[in-house]
């Protein structure tokens, strides 16, 4: 071993390196700790910095006393850790993991110290042995990182529930986004049970050829449909693929050649069978070839050419060929011509991101020409002029009775007076506009008068819509009047309907009732998910037709869906107030105190819940937390840097919930994400956009721009607050209590600097997408940051099976019975949300192997 001579001492280079590490770390802790003290923070870092610096200086001189001093600092650090975080495992990691590693290295290097007193041999023996003891402790500690922590399980007896008529009528199929218009994502199929789920195997895999470009923000978030033996999938770019549900063989593809200047989505489509909705098309025969005359055939071919000619919307966006066909080696080369409607039969209604609503024959992917204008309805009609891509129907069309009801996403934080948030209903067969709900002008019942538009800048409806067949109501989850973080310009009707659940009469489009989840929303807390229609168990044993609405705030509201009355306690609580000139603030906000509030612990932003990978980045996060404005939940926007918790992404998001009707269990997944943000006075920008790109917004027409960033370390990408970052929770609706909660997802496929760690630390990671729940007591979930499909015991929350996917998923798995009688679990895998490097185009089917 190389040595450096210092007087009569010979000090190993290894010890010199260790001493330098300790001295530099001590100086950084001391300096940062002194600054933290000036902010009112902990004294630990100053004291630890002094201890490490002295320890390093003694070791530099070759003195074994430096080791003893370090061990004292380590012991005090462990005690301080216990004082700060108690037994919270992940809270201890930045406080003790790195110090423990340094302690191990020091003790295993004691033989490198120069020989001294006679007691040296014994000291070396004990200290060296202590190094192996610490190493054993660290091995156990490190291994614990691969297991979930903070699991909640409560002994709550299951209350049996009743499956609804819609659930049973659906049979073996999955016809809608939430399986039925109730949006429960529950199936009565029970071939796959907790006992045999381990026998699941892949029975087919298909690739549809449409791989999203993550750098453009595109994502495949589609929940496929399964009807009459066929799976229907809609890719991010609206390419529709029909596959044999038993073999995965591609039957046809329809490519509308849609595009948008920003990210694209297609979360769902509507399946319309004229025979089931009492339409005049009930006598149509699905899949039969056209019997039109030669003249009619020629006319149809001409229509097919005309349908795709480029047109212009009011904002200047090119609308390309609606009838083109994408082929590859695995796709039959179908002739994509339009067909006369008398031969259309069942059809798929797909809303493209460029604002076209299209009716596609389910049997072969041809346009149904009697729908709209030769198979296409232009959703831009009546909307007025706006920049291309500012309005997009990203979620898709919803079938309600004999109507297609659709809203649309409006780009956040661009300006006042953005595209209208109108919701419209079209005849599902003809595409005729039946009604429009324009909250700013109720006098507009269909199209605006000539020369006028729907009211601009109104709260929009971008999340999925639900429909009650008995009450004949559709339920709309609304967003905000744009921009989201400034409301000084908002009108009375904006404030009446923003961030609400609104029930409309399906026949007329008239408002029946509305319930608001956020008053005068300044946080972008759009209602993000499909309202879930359930039979709510009351204390007297009866049930009430109810609606469960999850929110980005982690609040879960349970409402009587007949009139919007809360069925569980909702209290108005005082919230922090702002002081920006021209803005107004609601003094209170509704909190759903009668239901569990998921992942919104106000303490996560105190000093004891800050986080990092080492003491140094942990110290940095503590300093940053102290410097960031935080007055509690609903801290309003400010020109000072402030925290938004939960972030505008949630909490909970568009994946929705699943409801086990047979057990009265509500299953919900969440992400626990925090923003650091601030308003930039427009007068200081010099006319430049300083909002930070897609995460912020210029908010033109207001006094401010908005800058948004995640509360993470920029280069490491690690959060500045303690795990978990995503969970799955089961709530017993009979008692309104959490039955279980588990962290969901690992770091295996994500990590610092954007690199996958390949280490499945079980921190629980942000989830985006929902769960599928089945009668047998197995729930399936794939929307994690690691690439797995998991089966969860619905009763206990235990993960009882998982299988590796080629890429991650952002979608809800579906289940159906194929033509061989097998219960299939189908998962769409195209890439996890925060893993921006790995994308795919997979549909993977699982079944039990005999």
């Amino acid at each position: 071993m190389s040595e450096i001579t210092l007087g009569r001492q010979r000090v190993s280079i290894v010890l010199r390196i260790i001493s330098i590490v300790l001295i530099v770390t001590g100086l950084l802790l001391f300096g940062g700790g002194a600054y933290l003290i000036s902010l009112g923070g902990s004294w630990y870092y100053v004291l630890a910095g002094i201890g490490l610096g002295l320890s390093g200086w003694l070791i530099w001189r070759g003195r074994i006393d430096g080791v003893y001093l370090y061990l004292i600092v380590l012991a005090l650090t462990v005690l301080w850790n216990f004082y700060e975080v108690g037994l919270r495992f992940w809270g201890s990691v930045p406080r003790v993991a790195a110090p423990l590693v340094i302690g191990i290295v020091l003790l295993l290097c004691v033989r490198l110290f120069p020989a001294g007193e006679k007691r040296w041999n014994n000291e070396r023996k004990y200290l060296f042995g202590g190094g192996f003891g610490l190493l054993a402790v660290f091995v156990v500690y490190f291994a614990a990182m691969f297991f979930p922590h903070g699991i909640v399980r409560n002994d709550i007896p299951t209350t049996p529930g009743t499956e609804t008529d819609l659930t049973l009528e659906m049979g073996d199929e999955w016809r809608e986004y939430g399986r039925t218009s109730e949006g429960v994502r529950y199936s009565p199929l029970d071939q796959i049970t907790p006992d045999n789920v381990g026998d699941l195997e892949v029975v087919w895999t298909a690739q549809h050829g449409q791989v999203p470009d993550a750098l453009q923000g595109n994502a495949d978030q589609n929940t496929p449909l399964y009807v009459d033996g066929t799976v229907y999938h809609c890719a991010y770019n609206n390419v529709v693929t029909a596959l044999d549900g038993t073999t995965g063989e591609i039957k046809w593809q329809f490519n509308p050649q849609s595009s948008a200047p920003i990210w694209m989505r297609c979360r769902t489509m509507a399946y319309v069978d004229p025979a089931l909705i009492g339409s005049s098309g009930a006598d149509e025969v699905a899949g039969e070839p056209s019997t039109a005359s030669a003249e009619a055939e020629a006319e149809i071919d001409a229509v097919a050419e005309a349908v795709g000619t480029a047109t212009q919307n009011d904002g200047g966006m090119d609308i390309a060929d609606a009838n083109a066909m994408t082929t590859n080696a695995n796709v039959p080369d179908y002739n994509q011509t339009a067909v006369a409607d008398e031969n259309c039969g069942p059809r798929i209604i797909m809303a493209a991101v460029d604002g076209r609503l299209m009716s596609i024959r389910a049997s072969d992917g041809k346009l149904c020409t009697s729908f709209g204008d030769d198979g296409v309805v232009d959703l831009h009609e009546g909307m007025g002029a706006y920049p291309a891509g500012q309005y997009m129907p990203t979620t898709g069309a919803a079938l309600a009775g004999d109507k297609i009801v659709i809203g649309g996403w409006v780009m956040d934080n661009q300006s006042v007076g953005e595209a209208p948030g109108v919701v419209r209903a079209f005849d599902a067969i003809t595409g005729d506009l039946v009604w429009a709900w324009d909250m700013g002008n109720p006098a507009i019942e269909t199209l605006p008068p000539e020369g006028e538009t729907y009211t601009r800048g109104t709260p929009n409806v971008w999340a999925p819509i639900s429909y009650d067949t008995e009450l004949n109501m559709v339920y709309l989850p609304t967003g905000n009047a744009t921009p989201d973080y400034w409301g000084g310009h908002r009108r009375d009707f904006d404030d009446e309907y923003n961030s609400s659940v609104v029930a409309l009469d399906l026949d007329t489009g008239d408002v029946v009732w509305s319930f608001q989840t956020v008053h005068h929303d300044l946080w972008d807390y759009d209602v993000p998910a499909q309202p879930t229609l359930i039979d709510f168990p009351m204390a007297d044993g009866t049930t009430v037709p109810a609606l469960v609405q999850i929110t980005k705030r982690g609040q879960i509201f349970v409402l009587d869906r007949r009139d919007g009355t809360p069925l569980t306690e909702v209290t108005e609580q005082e919230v922090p107030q702002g002081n920006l000139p021209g803005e107004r603030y609601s003094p209170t906000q509704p909190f759903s105190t009668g239901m569990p509030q998921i992942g919104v612990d106000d303490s996560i932003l105190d000093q004891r819940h800050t986080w990092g990978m080492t003491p140094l980045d942990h110290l940095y996060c503590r300093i940053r937390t102290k410097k960031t404005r935080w007055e509690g939940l609903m801290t309003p926007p400010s020109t000072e840097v402030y925290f938004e918790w939960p972030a505008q992404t949630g909490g909970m998001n568009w994946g929705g919930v699943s409801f086990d009707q047979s057990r009265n269990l509500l299953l919900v997944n969440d992400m626990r994400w925090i923003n650091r943000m601030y308003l930039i006075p427009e007068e200081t920008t010099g006319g430049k956009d300083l909002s930070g790109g897609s995460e912020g917004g210029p908010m033109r027409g207001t006094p401010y721009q908005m800058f948004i960033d995640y509360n993470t370390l920029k280069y490491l990408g690690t959060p500045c607050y303690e795990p978990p970052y995503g969970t799955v929770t089961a709530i017993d609706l009979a008692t309104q209590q959490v039955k279980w909660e588990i962290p969901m997802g690992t770091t295996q496929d994500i990590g610092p600097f954007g690199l996958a760690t390949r280490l499945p630390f079980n921190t629980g990671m942000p989830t985006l997408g929902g769960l599928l729940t089945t009668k047998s007591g197995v729930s399936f979930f794939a929307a994690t940051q690691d690439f797995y499909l998991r089966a969860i015991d619905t009763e206990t929350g235990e993960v009882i099976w998982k299988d590796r996917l080629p890429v991650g998923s952002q979608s809800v798995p579906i289940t159906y019975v194929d033509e061989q009688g097998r219960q299939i679990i189908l998962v769409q895998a195209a890439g996890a949300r925060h893993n921006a490097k790995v994308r795919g185009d997979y549909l993977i089917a699982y079944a039990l192997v005999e």
Side-chain angles (χ1 to χ4, degrees), residues 386 390 410-420 456-458 482-483:
Y386 51 84
Q390 191 178 90
V410 176
M411 192 174 183
D412 293 352
N413 299 314
Q414 298 305 296
S415 69
V416 299
E418 291 191 46
R456 301 186 68 88
T458 50
T482 56

Side-chain angles (χ1 to χ4, degrees), residues 237-252:
N237 56 1
N238 304 119
V239 172
V240 180
T241 304
L243 308 95
D244 187 294
T246 302
T247 66
E249 179 184 358
I250 293 178
K251 296 182 174 181
W252 54 259

Side-chain angles (χ1 to χ4, degrees), residues 189-489:
L189 302 181
D190 57 4
Q191 283 185 22
I192 301 168
T193 70
D195 293 331
N196 64 22
V197 68
D199 295 329
L200 283 178
E201 291 188 12
V202 175
V203 293
W204 58 260
T205 298
Q207 291 181 259
H208 50 75
Q210 310 302 314
V211 180
D213 182 353
L215 296 180
Q216 297 295 322
N218 297 328
D220 194 336
Q221 300 173 338
N222 181 252
T223 296
L225 308 178
Y226 174 82
V227 187
D228 194 23
T230 301
V231 170
Y232 300 95
H233 172 269
C234 182
Y236 74 98
N237 56 1
N238 304 119
V239 172
V240 180
T241 304
L243 308 95
D244 187 294
T246 302
T247 66
E249 179 184 358
I250 293 178
K251 296 182 174 181
W252 54 259
Q253 280 192 322
F254 174 83
N255 187 348
Q257 298 291 335
S258 59
S259 63
I262 56 173
W263 52 261
M264 296 186 283
R265 306 281 190 273
C266 183
R267 296 191 181 106
T268 187
M269 301 177 292
Y271 181 88
V272 177
D273 185 345
L276 298 180
I277 63 174
S279 164
S280 59
D283 295 330
E284 299 174 7
V285 180
E288 290 296 322
S290 174
T291 56
S293 65
E295 291 81 7
E297 290 285 1
E299 181 178 351
I300 291 170
D301 290 339
V303 165
E305 289 185 28
V307 165
T309 57
T311 60
Q312 294 262 326
N313 69 17
D314 289 328
M317 180 193 295
D318 288 334
I319 301 180
D321 190 353
N323 206 34
M325 172 66 181
T326 292
T327 62
N328 59 39
N330 299 314
V331 183
D333 187 7
Y334 281 88
N335 178 20
Q336 290 278 272
T337 56
V339 294
D341 192 61
E342 62 264 22
N343 294 296
C344 202
R347 71 283 313 265
I348 300 293
I349 307 296
M350 186 270 291
V353 293
D354 56 16
R356 291 172 295 157
L357 187 67
M358 288 174 274
S359 182
I360 307 163
R361 188 161 72 169
S363 60
D364 59 10
K366 297 182 173 73
L367 282 173
C368 299
T369 59
S370 68
F371 181 85
D373 184 6
D374 294 324
V376 180
V377 167
D378 184 2
L379 294 175
H380 297 289
E381 188 175 8
M383 300 286 280
Y386 51 84
Q390 191 178 90
Y391 164 84
M392 289 193 292
T394 54
T395 287
L399 176 66
D402 59 355
K403 299 174 181 64
I404 293 295
V405 182
I406 190 165
W409 174 85
V410 176
M411 192 174 183
D412 293 352
N413 299 314
Q414 298 305 296
S415 69
V416 299
E418 291 191 46
V422 63
V423 175
R424 288 165 285 184
F426 298 90
D427 185 286
I429 302 301
T430 67
D432 293 338
L433 179 62
V434 180
W435 54 255
W437 178 53
D438 180 354
M439 67 183 71
N441 188 355
I444 298 178
E445 297 180 346
T446 52
L447 283 172
E450 187 175 353
E452 298 182 23
T453 70
Y454 297 114
T455 307
R456 301 186 68 88
T458 50
N460 59 323
V461 177
W462 59 264
I465 295 167
S466 299
Y467 168 58
D468 187 313
T469 57
E470 295 185 4
L471 296 176
N472 201 39
M473 294 185 204
V474 287
Y475 301 96
L476 313 178
T478 69
N480 275 315
T482 56
D484 294 274
Y485 292 97
W486 176 260
H489 64 288

Side-chain angles (χ1 to χ4, degrees), residues 154-185:
N154 294 314
D155 187 15
I156 300 173
T158 299
T159 303
T162 302
E163 295 168 341
T164 64
D165 291 341
L166 276 181
T167 290
L168 298 176
E169 289 170 6
M170 188 64 66
D172 299 338
E173 298 183 325
W174 191 289
R175 286 176 174 252
E176 303 191 39
Y177 177 67
R179 188 171 182 269
T180 70
S181 62
E182 297 167 316
V184 294
R185 295 163 189 79

Side-chain angles (χ1 to χ4, degrees), residues 462 478-480 484-485 498-500 517-518 521-528 551-554 630 633-635 643-651:
W462 59 264
T478 69
N480 275 315
D484 294 274
Y485 292 97
N498 76 261
S499 301
S500 299
T517 68
V518 182
D521 188 350
L522 302 174
W523 300 269
D524 192 9
Y525 284 156
D526 301 351
V527 178
T551 66
K552 294 179 181 180
R553 296 173 55 205
W630 172 245
L633 297 173
M634 315 296 285
T635 294
F643 285 125
E644 182 184 53
W645 163 245
Q648 92 284 12
T649 53

